Each structure stands twice: as structure tokens, then as C-alpha cells.
Amino acid sequence: MKQASVNIALLFSALVISGCQQDNCQRGDASCNELANKHEYSILQVAHSQVGQRSENEPLIILRNVGESGKTALAFPSREDDGYVVMLADAEVSPRDKTIGMEDFYVTVEAIADLEASGLVLTPEIDRLISEMAETTG
């Protein structure tokens, strides 16, 4: 458990550092996009770490304000192992379908209902990905 705390602390440090670097760049600049992508992927890594500590297999996990970033992550159970596929619901920088664990995942009717009830606004790319997986979940 101590190792997990150290990993979370390291990920959070990366999140803070990359967020500070991002403040000085202009949108549309290639180097800015690279920094912003690093920032968003670090948020995703923090979310993945938080989800990985769950013992139950829930149909949908919504993590709001991950690492106090203002960003939201979603997690769906993986078809390939006992873990989750974690995605950033509101990425701002292309690619806007950022995920960790891109293997097949379950999207249940219950998960869709919970997501709709949450009122989250998803990027079109994440919305499409979830819809495609819901169609194949059957």
C-alpha cells in the first residue's frame, strides 16, 4: 500500500509541473499542444491509479476533478482482465479520445443510464467510442 501512495504522489507531482508549464503557451502552437497533451495524459494516469485501487467491479466509475484539475475521467470494466479502461471525458487537445487500456470494455445499459443522469458533456470522440462499445456489448 505504501508503494501505491508513492506512485500517486509522483503522478500528482507530474500533473502539477506539467500544468504550470502549460500556462505559458499559446493554443494552436505545436509545442503548446504537446505540453497540453502531457498534462491531460498525466491527469489520466492519476485517474487510472485511483480506479486501480477499487476492489469492486462497477459498470461505470466517474471521477470528477481528477487531481484537482477540473477534468473528469470515466472508467468502464475491461473485457480482458479485472481492470478498467479509463478515459478522459473532456480532453481539450487532440487527440480528444485519450484512454489508458484501449482493449475491449463493457458498456452496460446501467452504465449508459448513469452517464446520462450525470449530466456530463463528453467530447464527440469519447461519446462515439462509448456508443460503439455499447453496440457491441449486446
Side-chain angles (χ1 to χ4, degrees):
M1 190 61 149
K2 186 175 183 178
Q3 181 64 31
S5 297
V6 170
N7 289 341
I8 291 173
L10 289 173
L11 289 172
F12 186 72
S13 296
L15 175 68
V16 170
I17 291 168
S18 65
C20 291
Q21 292 172 340
Q22 183 182 347
D23 290 341
N24 296 326
C25 66
Q26 300 294 320
R27 290 280 179 213
D29 177 17
S31 61
C32 174
N33 286 343
E34 183 177 339
L35 285 173
N37 264 318
K38 287 179 182 179
H39 177 69
E40 288 185 342
Y41 276 110
S42 67
I43 293 167
L44 195 55
Q45 289 174 333
V46 169
H48 187 258
S49 176
Q50 290 175 348
V51 168
Q53 297 174 6
R54 306 243 177 157
S55 59
E56 299 179 18
N57 201 9
E58 302 172 44
L60 170 65
I61 299 172
I62 299 173
L63 298 170
R64 295 178 189 265
N65 196 23
V66 176
E68 299 196 23
S69 66
K71 296 291 182 191
T72 301
L74 307 174
F76 293 92
S78 170
R79 289 181 184 265
E80 297 181 13
D81 60 29
D82 291 334
Y84 288 88
V85 174
V86 181
M87 57 195 71
L88 199 56
D90 50 0
E92 295 179 27
V93 180
S94 182
R96 292 179 43 177
D97 57 352
K98 292 176 178 72
T99 63
I100 292 181
M102 198 47 211
E103 66 268 1
D104 286 340
F105 56 93
Y106 293 102
V107 179
T108 65
V109 172
E110 178 186 357
I112 294 292
D114 289 348
L115 190 55
E116 289 174 354
S118 75
L120 285 174
V121 177
L122 308 175
T123 65
E125 296 84 352
I126 290 296
D127 190 39
R128 182 175 50 252
L129 178 61
I130 292 169
S131 296
E132 288 170 2
M133 296 310 293
E135 292 172 2
T136 61
T137 299

